[in-house]
Amino acid sequence: MRSSSYTTICIAAMVLVIMILGTQPQVATAVTCQVTQLAPCAAAISSSSVPPSRQCCVKIKEQRPCLCQYMKNPSLKAYVSSPNAKKIAKSCGVPTPKC
C-alpha cells in the first residue's frame, strides 16, 4: 500500500513538471536585420511631437540586436542615432546600445 502512494506521488510530480515545462516560452528565433522592419517608427523618428506606437515599440524590441549594425551603416546612422530615435528607444524601454 505504501509503494502505491509513493508511485502516485511520483507520477503526480512528473505530470506537474511536464505541465510547467510545457508552458515555458519557446526559444526565440534569430532576428533578420532589416531596417524596413522599423517602418512603424518613421513618424516618431521624423517628428519629436509624435509618440511611438505600440507596433513601433514591438519592432524596436525585435530589432534591438541589429541596432549597432544600423548605427555603423553611414546611410542609417543619422536616423538611428538621432535624438528622436533615442527618445523612442527610451519610451519603448529599449536601452541605447553601446557599439
Side-chain angles (χ1 to χ4, degrees):
M1 182 90 149
R2 190 168 186 93
S3 72
S4 176
S5 296
Y6 179 74
T7 302
T8 303
I9 291 172
C10 285
I11 291 172
M14 287 184 348
V15 168
L16 182 61
V17 168
I18 291 169
M19 288 173 54
I20 290 171
L21 291 176
T23 61
Q24 295 299 315
Q26 299 296 317
V27 174
T29 57
V31 174
T32 302
C33 294
Q34 295 178 335
V35 75
T36 56
Q37 294 292 312
L38 297 176
C41 300
I45 289 173
S46 300
S47 172
S48 61
S49 63
V50 177
S53 66
R54 188 181 82 70
Q55 185 65 20
C56 171
C57 288
V58 167
K59 291 299 181 181
I60 287 281
K61 290 174 183 176
E62 285 176 2
Q63 292 288 303
R64 182 178 175 196
C66 306
L67 295 179
C68 283
Q69 178 183 334
Y70 299 154
M71 290 174 90
K72 292 176 183 175
N73 182 324
S75 301
L76 303 174
K77 184 177 181 175
Y79 299 104
V80 180
S81 61
S82 71
N84 286 349
K86 290 177 182 177
K87 283 180 13 182
I88 292 167
K90 184 177 181 181
S91 176
C92 294
V94 176
T96 303
K98 294 179 179 159
C99 306

